[in-house]
Amino acid sequence: MPDSTIAPERRLSVSGEPSRQRTRLTTGLELAVALHVGVLTVFTSWAFGGQIPWARSLMVGWATGGFLLFVIALGTLARRHGASPLGFARHLWPLLLFDLVVGASCFNPSFKPIVRDGEHFWALTTPPFSWLPSSARPELTLRELWQFNALVVSAFNLYLVLDNRRILRSLLLGFAANAVVLAVFGTFQKLVGAKGLWFGLVKSPNDHFFSTFVYHNHWGSFVLLHTAVCLGLLFHYVRRGGHRDVWHSPVMAGAVATLLLAASVPLSSSRSSSVLVCLFLLGALVHFLARLIRRRRDLNESPLLPVAGIIFAAALALGATLYLGRDVIQQRAQLTARQLEQIKAENSLNARLLLYRDTWRMAAEKPWFGWGLETYADVFRIYNSAPTPVHGWRPFYAQAHNDWLQSLAESGFVGTTLLGLLGLAPLLAVPWRRVESVLPRYLLAGCGLLLLYAWVEFPFANPSVMLAFWTSLYAAARYAQLDARSADAANR
């Protein structure tokens, strides 16, 4: 289907007459927002996923510029439509309430610093106002709250400002291209046996690293979201057509890029992410074959030959991926077998389930507002019941390996519910029955799979993954709105 987005020159002013001055202002703001989010995304992904202190500082500094763009956008929209600027930010009301709750907790500390034998410790104490939200470490809570707001507002600017589907697709293409380059970079790094990040120039704190990401499961989460971007764009270009044949269209290049990206996950040794990406690709393949069969039957043509060719190509790609990552896959398969045997021999819950149980006990102590944002590592020491080895220290957990449980422990049911509403608010405003494009649906499918993955891992602890999630969600909501608007205009 041809893109029916209205060209900027034809936008009308409130009086109904073309306004070139307003068009230039709007276009400039759109480009500024797209550039801001694009630079933020590329920098964060290449700077160790934003998990190195200096990279995090630069990331937050650049993301803070999103607040300025947000204010400018509200003023621009208010002048254009003659309405209150707050109306355009209505979908951020859960974020405002979340900020109020978390901000209040910073003035009600539940830990106090003590010094004993020259060592600094944190001791549990009764907060000044026990019925109000509290934070065990207010300084950590404030820092994390600022970072979260900066990333979310920067992503929300896409939903607020971008009024052209072509700009959104171009931005998504840039995201996908960046992810593919990172995948190729990581693949070469893995094949040469690099012992650290950037081909061994930087020592990784985790042995299971890939590309520029310190933790392989964070890389897998990053790929999962960008696989959704690639698949959504592929279906868009397949549906749009307008090319002599498939070989002279972006479809083949996009398919190869998607496979390069997805193939990096098993190579990174991330088992859980590999399963999710494989299922995602399988679902997309079934979706594509169903569309192909329906179209061939509408043309009274046999679908047998093209379907067989596509299945053969998919099997060939799968075989190449398994061959390329055969050593890593074999190592992880052996590790999985050993872990299963260990669980069976001990006849007890493994360490992960014990961690979840202790995290739930921590959350149950403060069910309404939690212990405070970014306080899990400090507070969990109290609830950690992991057995201490005969020769060693009790394991330390900085993350719960379950973002949902950790959110309940840190933000309580109130904070976790507000975060869920923050994601749902723009989606509920979309007239989905009038949305024809599958691009936003694939973006949201990637977001949904990541939320599912967050039950067994901690993808949102990585700033690059968190940013990719919110940009995908807001880009999907905005694209769906514009698509529905275009469909309404075409039916008039």
Side-chain angles (χ1 to χ4, degrees), residues 224-414:
L224 179 64
L225 291 171
H226 286 84
T227 298
V229 174
C230 291
L231 291 173
L233 290 170
L234 272 176
F235 275 95
H236 166 78
Y237 287 111
V238 167
R239 182 183 179 186
R240 189 177 72 171
H243 301 279
R244 186 172 65 187
D245 53 47
V246 70
W247 305 104
H248 295 82
S249 73
V251 174
M252 289 305 299
V256 172
T258 304
L259 292 175
L260 285 174
L261 182 62
S264 68
V265 182
L267 192 61
S268 72
S269 74
S270 176
R271 294 169 292 182
S272 49
S273 299
S274 298
V275 172
L276 283 177
V277 171
C278 184
L279 291 176
F280 199 6
L281 291 176
L282 180 61
L285 179 62
V286 172
H287 179 203
F288 179 76
L289 290 177
R291 289 170 62 98
L292 177 62
I293 292 172
R294 184 167 59 249
R295 179 173 177 80
R296 299 283 291 190
R297 285 177 175 173
D298 290 341
L299 298 174
N300 294 320
E301 298 177 355
S302 173
L304 182 60
L305 187 59
V307 168
I310 292 172
I311 293 177
F312 175 76
L316 192 64
L318 177 62
T321 301
L322 294 176
Y323 177 78
L324 185 64
R326 62 190 184 281
D327 293 336
V328 175
I329 294 173
Q330 183 180 5
Q331 293 172 4
R332 301 303 286 178
Q334 293 173 351
L335 176 61
T336 301
R338 288 198 301 268
Q339 289 174 337
L340 292 174
E341 287 295 328
Q342 182 180 3
I343 293 173
K344 182 178 179 180
E346 293 176 355
N347 194 27
S348 63
L349 296 176
N350 63 13
R352 182 64 63 88
L353 294 180
L354 181 61
L355 172 63
Y356 292 167
R357 187 191 68 183
D358 291 341
T359 302
W360 174 249
R361 288 195 301 113
M362 174 182 165
E365 285 290 325
K366 291 181 178 287
W368 292 108
F369 303 110
W371 289 87
L373 202 62
E374 195 64 10
T375 61
Y376 180 85
D378 293 287
V379 179
F380 185 71
R381 299 170 188 264
I382 303 172
Y383 297 92
N384 188 0
S385 64
T388 304
V390 177
H391 302 290
W393 297 88
R394 176 175 292 175
F396 168 76
Y397 292 100
Q399 305 290 339
H401 291 262
N402 183 318
D403 279 338
W404 290 94
L405 282 178
Q406 185 164 334
S407 180
L408 291 175
E410 292 187 343
S411 303
F413 282 93
V414 172

Side-chain angles (χ1 to χ4, degrees), residues 29-180:
L29 185 58
E30 286 177 344
L31 292 177
V33 167
L35 179 64
H36 177 258
V37 176
V39 171
L40 180 62
T41 298
V42 173
F43 169 78
T44 306
S45 61
W46 283 92
F48 311 103
Q51 290 194 288
I52 303 296
W54 65 263
R56 186 179 295 252
S57 299
L58 290 176
M59 175 196 70
V60 173
W62 179 261
T64 300
F67 294 126
L68 177 60
L69 290 172
F70 175 71
V71 172
I72 294 174
L74 289 183
T76 301
L77 292 171
R79 289 194 303 271
R80 185 197 309 172
H81 297 280
S84 170
L86 296 180
F88 298 101
R90 62 187 180 278
H91 297 312
L92 287 182
W93 67 265
L95 180 62
L96 176 61
L97 292 180
F98 181 78
D99 289 346
L100 291 175
V101 170
V102 176
S105 73
C106 295
F107 297 95
N108 197 27
S110 57
F111 273 25
K112 67 177 180 179
I114 60 174
V115 179
R116 179 178 299 171
D117 298 328
E119 296 289 337
H120 294 266
F121 299 92
W122 291 95
L124 179 64
T125 185
T126 303
F129 305 97
S130 58
W131 51 278
L132 286 176
S134 63
S135 173
R137 297 287 303 276
E139 73 283 2
L140 297 181
T141 297
L142 278 175
R143 186 185 69 182
E144 184 67 17
L145 182 64
W146 184 269
Q147 174 183 298
F148 179 74
N149 276 265
L151 294 179
V152 170
V153 171
S154 295
F156 182 78
N157 286 337
L158 299 177
Y159 177 83
L160 183 65
V161 172
L162 297 193
D163 202 32
N164 189 308
R165 289 176 297 172
R166 187 174 291 108
I167 294 179
L168 267 171
R169 288 196 301 271
S170 298
L171 187 63
L172 292 172
L173 277 170
F175 291 161
N178 176 64
V180 172

